[in-house]
Amino acid sequence: SGLALPSACRALGENCQGPSLTPPSLSTSLSAAEDPSGEHGEVVSTISSSRNPLQPPDTSSEEPFTTYFDSKIPIPEDETHSCFSFRKLWAFTGPGFLMSIAYLDPGNIESDLQSGAVAGFKLLWVLMLATIIGLLLQRLAARLGVVTGLLLAEVCNRQYQKVPRIILWLMVELAIIGSDMQEVIGSAIAINLLSVGKVPLWGGVLITIADTFVFLFLDKYGLRKLEAFFGFLITIMALTFGYEYITVKPNQEKLLKGLFIPYCQNCGTAQLEQAVGIVGAVIMPHNMYLHSALVKSRQVNRANKREVREANKYFFIESCIALFVSFIINIFVVTVFAEAFFEKTNADVSSVCVNTSSPHSSLFPSNNKTLEVDIYKGGVVLGCYFGPAALYIWAIGILAAGQSSTMTGTYSGQFVMEGFLNLRWSRFARVLLTRSIAITPTLFVAIFQDVEHLTGMNDFLNVLMSLQLPFALIPVLTFTSLPIRRESFWKVAGGVLILLICSVNMYFVVDYVRALNHVALYVGAAVLSVIYLSFVAYLVSLAQAETPCRQDKLMDLFHRRYHRIVSVGKALEAPPAPP
């Protein structure tokens, strides 16, 4: 919607349109972090609060983000360190670590342990490659939030037509529901293990829901306290899974070989499916929507090119550190199960559990089938081989992973719903609605399924997550346009990445449906696949063929805000009008 020019500006006789100024392009704005020629004080295009700064503050018209974080973190000035400042990095630290929680959720942990048990150390390079791709995509999402001041969901709301916008929102909500099922059930499994089976799965789900509501309101006591709490949970994961790593003592030579040699010797269908599952677990679509919102929690003057460039730089550095920490924790889990349980059979594990008088020895039949593990069975196996301490420490790590990712998943749901649907509800109403949508399927699964038969659910949810990835990737690549000299590269690279993801998704869907062995499911999957690919092709066509038109709409919005900032600045600097 258009913005009215400040009446005070016109009353002072100022030219509100600023005809002598040339608004910057959208490409220049989004590449502000990489433009070394930008001078301090230059104005870049921006989208900020729609409230007239010349009017008294009105809490009802604040930008939507302030309904979640009541204050923004100020960035200190550090004149002594022009290139890099640890004080500034510390001020920008927070959003990246909240974003990295999605790389440590129970779905990722389960994918890690299954990767180690099925393929040993051979797929570590896939984990590293997926993390790097995730970092690049998160960087684009963060830049979009820093430069425009809008959530990715809000940009989609403004730029897509009603029908594709609603379909896009439903797809992202589906990804959030799938991720939430992994996170909440992971927490419930951890509670079940810690209580020695006394708390059933559905009871753990209810406990997780209740404490999530409590923890979500920590930001009322300050955003830094909330970020510190997430840091505490990440530290718990690092210590608990690090303990398992030290206890098992994986082979370091095999670890390094698996990381840096992109090859999988003697790998078959099971290993290929596991590799696809790693990508689906690591790169989560809703996490890009989350990151574009979290970066708005810092005070960045978007009318100052130097500050925008600086914010992008420090947010990227922080994201690198956060994802490196998450990558190390994931390596802990993969290598523990690769070293201890690769090529183990059910009979091997069963005999060890019986000898240690484990109450869970009945989980593993005495046959020569390859061991299949999930979060629950993984903890049991660790307890059989390395003692009860390993089991309980594992459960504490899973609880920290599930609780932290459930909280960030709730934030993702709120930001996505607010952005796509333009909601202006009360804070509690938003939390209640988004939690209800995401938690209802999880509660049904917990009620009608016991903790010992959840191995196949994670595979299905990873397929679901991977299927939704194009619905975050395409908008991010569409709206984060780069300078013309690199536009062709990013179009080709983005197109290849989208084609690769869709191809892998179709392989995974065909393989999964074929295992169900039912004709009606074959037909249904074929119809849904055609609809899915058609919608992806439609979004790609908008990104490729209509990019100039779409950029014109964004630039028109940017230019109106640009002139508004300039006119307000002139009005504030002008002498007061005579009475």
Side-chain angles (χ1 to χ4, degrees), residues 233-246:
L233 293 176
I234 293 175
T235 303
I236 290 178
M237 285 184 267
L239 293 176
T240 52
F241 297 135
Y243 169 83
E244 309 288 357
Y245 180 84
I246 293 172

Side-chain angles (χ1 to χ4, degrees), residues 273 463 503-517 522 525-526 529:
E273 291 176 355
V463 172
S503 301
V504 170
N505 286 343
M506 287 302 100
Y507 169 82
F508 217 160
V509 168
V510 169
D511 183 75
Y512 188 84
V513 173
R514 187 172 54 188
L516 299 177
N517 197 24
Y522 295 162
S529 297

Side-chain angles (χ1 to χ4, degrees), residues 538-556:
Y538 170 75
L539 293 179
V540 171
S541 68
L542 290 181
Q544 298 291 333
E546 299 182 19
T547 295
C549 176
R550 195 166 300 280
Q551 286 192 4
D552 287 343
K553 292 172 68 179
L554 273 174
M555 289 172 65
D556 180 61

Side-chain angles (χ1 to χ4, degrees), residues 105-106 173-189 200-210 212 402 405-406 409-410 434-451 453-454 457 460-461 464-465:
D105 74 332
E173 283 291 344
L174 198 59
I176 293 173
I177 291 172
S179 175
D180 212 62
M181 290 180 70
Q182 291 178 318
E183 295 156 0
V184 176
I185 288 181
S187 296
I189 289 173
L201 192 63
W202 60 266
V205 169
L206 293 178
I207 292 173
T208 302
I209 296 170
T212 298
S405 56
T406 300
T410 303
T434 54
R435 277 290 80 194
S436 300
I437 291 175
I439 216 68
T440 302
T442 307
L443 198 53
F444 275 109
V445 170
I447 292 172
F448 296 106
Q449 188 67 279
D450 61 80
V451 72
H453 299 88
L454 293 172
M457 189 190 73
F460 170 77
L461 293 176
L464 180 67
M465 219 74 62

Side-chain angles (χ1 to χ4, degrees), residues 112-113 116-117 332-342 373 378-379 382 394:
D112 290 340
L113 66 89
F332 286 164
V333 178
V334 174
T335 54
V336 162
F337 282 82
E339 180 68 31
F341 308 115
F342 177 52
V373 287
L382 286 172
W394 168 263

Side-chain angles (χ1 to χ4, degrees), residues 149-478:
L150 288 178
L151 322 180
L152 175 58
E154 287 178 311
V155 179
C156 292
N157 179 286
R158 294 173 184 235
Q159 300 305 313
Y160 287 121
Q161 298 296 324
K162 183 177 181 179
V163 173
R165 182 172 71 238
I166 292 176
I167 296 175
L168 199 60
W169 167 63
L170 291 175
M171 293 298 100
V172 178
E173 283 291 344
L174 198 59
I176 293 173
I177 291 172
S179 175
D180 212 62
M181 290 180 70
Q182 291 178 318
E183 295 156 0
V184 176
I185 288 181
S187 296
I189 289 173
I191 293 172
N192 180 273
L193 287 172
L194 290 172
S195 65
V196 198
K198 293 181 180 179
V199 178
L201 192 63
W202 60 266
V205 169
L206 293 178
I207 292 173
T208 302
I209 296 170
D211 58 32
T212 298
F213 272 102
V214 173
F215 292 141
L216 278 173
F217 287 92
L218 279 177
D219 64 85
K220 302 299 283 185
Y221 299 96
L223 180 56
R224 276 307 208 185
K225 291 184 177 63
L226 178 69
E227 293 174 347
F229 180 68
F230 278 102
F232 171 70
L233 293 176
I234 293 175
T235 303
I236 290 178
M237 285 184 267
L239 293 176
T240 52
F241 297 135
Y243 169 83
E244 309 288 357
Y245 180 84
I246 293 172
T247 301
V248 175
K249 298 181 178 62
N251 186 305
Q252 301 302 301
E253 182 181 350
K254 291 182 179 178
L255 189 158
L256 294 174
K257 184 178 178 181
L259 269 179
F260 298 109
I261 298 180
Y263 180 67
C264 190
Q265 188 175 8
N266 300 324
C267 289
T269 303
Q271 288 75 21
L272 178 59
E273 291 176 355
Q274 198 58 53
V276 175
I278 290 174
V279 176
V282 169
I283 307 176
M284 290 195 173
H286 61 280
N287 210 34
M288 296 177 218
Y289 290 88
L290 173 67
H291 202 192
S292 68
L294 292 175
V295 295
K296 294 175 62 181
S297 61
R298 267 52 181 177
Q299 285 183 0
V300 177
N301 179 12
R302 294 182 178 85
N304 187 317
K305 190 173 184 177
R306 180 186 63 82
E307 288 194 25
V308 172
R309 185 172 66 250
E310 187 178 71
N312 282 326
K313 177 180 74 175
Y314 283 110
F315 276 132
F316 179 62
I317 294 173
E318 187 230 1
S319 297
C320 289
I321 297 171
L323 289 188
F324 178 75
V325 172
S326 71
F327 177 62
I328 294 299
I329 295 174
N330 282 317
I331 283 181
F332 286 164
V333 178
V334 174
T335 54
V336 162
F337 282 82
E339 180 68 31
F341 308 115
F342 177 52
E343 295 183 336
K344 286 286 193 302
T345 64
N346 287 326
D348 296 333
V349 176
S350 178
S351 62
V352 173
C353 289
V354 169
N355 292 336
T356 56
S357 301
S358 170
H360 307 286
S361 56
S362 59
L363 282 174
F364 309 100
S366 297
N367 57 41
N368 291 323
K369 289 185 177 180
T370 304
L371 175 67
E372 292 184 358
V373 287
D374 52 28
I375 288 178
Y376 180 74
K377 292 179 181 177
V380 170
V381 171
L382 286 172
C384 291
Y385 275 77
F386 304 103
L391 186 154
Y392 292 119
I393 291 173
W394 168 263
I396 291 171
I398 296 297
L399 183 61
Q403 190 60 70
S404 58
S405 56
T406 300
M407 292 168 63
T408 55
T410 303
Y411 278 125
S412 298
Q414 294 176 57
F415 293 138
V416 164
M417 187 168 288
E418 180 192 84
F420 274 107
L421 304 184
N422 197 28
L423 291 182
R424 293 297 180 267
W425 294 0
S426 68
R427 174 185 173 82
F428 180 77
R430 274 189 298 267
V431 173
L432 186 62
L433 177 63
T434 54
R435 277 290 80 194
S436 300
I437 291 175
I439 216 68
T440 302
T442 307
L443 198 53
F444 275 109
V445 170
I447 292 172
F448 296 106
Q449 188 67 279
D450 61 80
V451 72
E452 299 177 3
H453 299 88
L454 293 172
T455 304
M457 189 190 73
N458 190 63
D459 295 336
F460 170 77
L461 293 176
N462 281 339
V463 172
L464 180 67
M465 219 74 62
S466 184
L467 285 170
Q468 309 312 315
L469 188 55
F471 305 125
L473 177 61
I474 296 173
V476 164
L477 292 176
T478 300

Side-chain angles (χ1 to χ4, degrees), residues 494-540:
V496 169
L497 184 58
I498 293 168
L499 180 62
L500 178 63
I501 290 173
C502 290
S503 301
V504 170
N505 286 343
M506 287 302 100
Y507 169 82
F508 217 160
V509 168
V510 169
D511 183 75
Y512 188 84
V513 173
R514 187 172 54 188
L516 299 177
N517 197 24
H518 198 288
V519 177
L521 293 176
Y522 295 162
V523 175
V527 173
L528 291 176
S529 297
V530 170
I531 296 173
Y532 170 83
L533 292 174
S534 299
F535 185 60
V536 170
Y538 170 75
L539 293 179
V540 171

